[in-house]
Amino acid sequence: MTYVRASDGTRIHYRVTGRPGAPPILFIQGLGADKNGWNLQRIASAPSYQAVALDNRGAGRSDKPHGEYSLEQMAHDAVTVLDHAGVETAHVVGASMGGAISQILAVKYPERLRSLTLACTAGQNHPWREELLASWRDAALERGIGSMGHDAARWVIGPRSFRRLLPAMGWLGPLALGRPSHAFAAQVDAVMNVDTSYAGELENVTVPTLVVVGNQDILTPRGDSEELADRIPTAELAVISGAAHGLMIEHARSFNRVLFDFLGRAEDAHRERTAEVAPEATAAAG
C-alpha cells in the first residue's frame, strides 16, 4: 500500500495502476467514497493510461482525523499525491465532491492539469442540497452511517437500478457503511463551507474540459452541469440517458465511452501544446 503525508501530517492512501509511462489520470471520488468507486474506470484505462486513484482524507485507507476538513486541503492532498507518484501533469477526473476538488485544482494548480473532467458535479451549493447534506451528516452523527445509508442511496442510484445495485453500493459515498461518522460529517461540512469564489474563476480554465451528467441525477441535476459548462470556456457537455448520480458504476459502459473518447482527444491536444512549447523553450535557452 502506498501512502504519502499531507502538509498537516495526515496520511493519504493512493494506488497507481495501468501502463507505466502512459498518460496519467488522477481519479478523485466523492463524499464518503474511496478509490474503489473508480474500479470500472481504472480497469478500462489500464491498457492505455496510468491511473492514480486516491482516498480523500476521511475515507478509504487514508487517515480520518477529527476536526475540520476543507476542500482546499483535499486539493492540496491530491497535488501531494501527484508529487509523490512522480506525476507532473495529469488528466484530472472528479465526481461529485471530487468534482468540486477538481475545480479547485484547475483554478489553483492549472499547471498540473492536462484536462479536466467533472462528473455529476455542481459549481455552487443550493439551499435544498445543503439541507439534504446536513440531514445526512446529522443522521450519521446521531445514529451511525448505516442508519442513513438506505435513504441516501435513493439520491445516488437511479430508480431502475436501485434493487439491482444496492447490495454492491458500499463503493458510493453515504452508502459506504464502514466509514466513521465523524469523518463523513467533516467531509459534508467541507462541501458546505467551500469558498464560492472558485466558481468565478472557472472562466480562466484553459485545458480541455468534459462535464458529464446523467439525465436522472437528482442530487446534482443536469442544470448544475449546464451551468458549469457555460462558465468554462473550453467545456463540452455530455448527458447520459437513464443515468443517475452513480453513473460511473450504474452506467459504466456509457460513461467510459464518453470519458475515454474525450481523454483521447485531450491527450492529443496536450501533445500538440507540448510540441509547440518545446521549440520556444529551446530558443529562449539559446
Side-chain angles (χ1 to χ4, degrees):
M1 297 182 188
T2 306
Y3 292 88
V4 62
R5 293 277 180 183
S7 58
D8 64 349
T10 300
R11 289 194 319 161
I12 305 299
H13 171 66
Y14 71 95
R15 186 176 180 186
V16 179
T17 56
R19 183 162 63 86
I25 306 171
L26 176 66
F27 286 109
I28 309 176
Q29 256 297 340
L31 180 63
D34 62 23
K35 64 184 181 300
N36 290 324
W38 294 114
N39 280 352
L40 299 177
Q41 286 69 49
R42 291 160 66 199
I43 292 169
S45 69
S48 302
Y49 296 92
Q50 184 179 60
V52 181
L54 75 151
D55 293 339
N56 293 314
R57 59 175 60 211
R61 290 190 170 96
S62 290
D63 286 350
K64 303 165 186 66
H66 289 267
E68 295 183 356
Y69 299 1
S70 74
L71 298 192
E72 291 83 357
Q73 178 64 67
M74 292 185 199
H76 192 269
D77 293 345
V79 172
T80 302
V81 165
L82 289 179
D83 289 342
H84 193 256
V87 175
E88 183 177 352
T89 62
H91 298 285
V92 174
V93 180
S96 197
M97 183 187 78
I101 295 169
S102 299
Q103 292 174 56
I104 297 172
L105 285 172
V107 169
K108 291 191 66 176
Y109 309 96
E111 72 282 358
R112 306 305 296 265
L113 275 67
R114 297 188 183 195
S115 71
L116 174 66
T117 297
L118 305 174
C120 52
T121 298
Q124 62 177 324
N125 290 326
H126 298 296
W128 67 265
R129 192 160 46 222
E130 289 187 341
E131 292 177 6
L132 177 67
L133 293 178
S135 72
W136 289 356
R137 176 199 61 203
D138 295 345
L141 290 173
E142 294 169 6
R143 301 189 299 275
I145 291 287
S147 68
M148 44 74 71
H150 190 273
D151 289 340
R154 296 186 181 278
W155 289 83
V156 178
I157 311 170
R160 294 181 180 178
S161 304
F162 187 80
R163 292 183 180 178
R164 176 171 59 89
L165 292 179
L166 183 58
M169 295 303 278
W171 291 345
L172 287 180
L175 308 177
L177 304 183
R179 310 293 185 256
S181 296
H182 78 270
F184 176 76
Q187 285 194 349
V188 170
D189 287 338
V191 172
M192 295 173 62
N193 296 328
V194 66
D195 184 351
T196 57
S197 66
Y198 289 113
E201 298 184 54
L202 291 176
E203 63 184 21
N204 299 319
V205 173
T206 59
V207 294
T209 300
L210 170 67
V211 181
V212 57
V213 64
N215 71 344
Q216 299 297 312
D217 192 337
I218 58 174
L219 185 58
T220 52
R222 177 173 175 167
D224 286 317
S225 290
E226 291 175 342
E227 181 181 7
L228 279 174
D230 286 343
R231 287 183 176 181
I232 301 173
T234 56
E236 57 187 81
L237 175 67
V239 181
I240 297 179
S241 179
H245 196 67
L247 74 174
M248 74 289 301
I249 295 174
E250 183 184 358
H251 282 67
R253 182 176 299 179
S254 297
F255 179 82
N256 287 356
R257 183 176 63 252
V258 170
L259 175 64
F260 292 113
D261 172 74
F262 167 75
L263 290 181
R265 290 184 283 113
E267 179 61 21
D268 288 343
H270 169 73
R271 291 175 180 175
E272 291 177 3
R273 290 196 305 272
T274 302
E276 291 172 358
V277 170
E280 295 176 3
T282 301

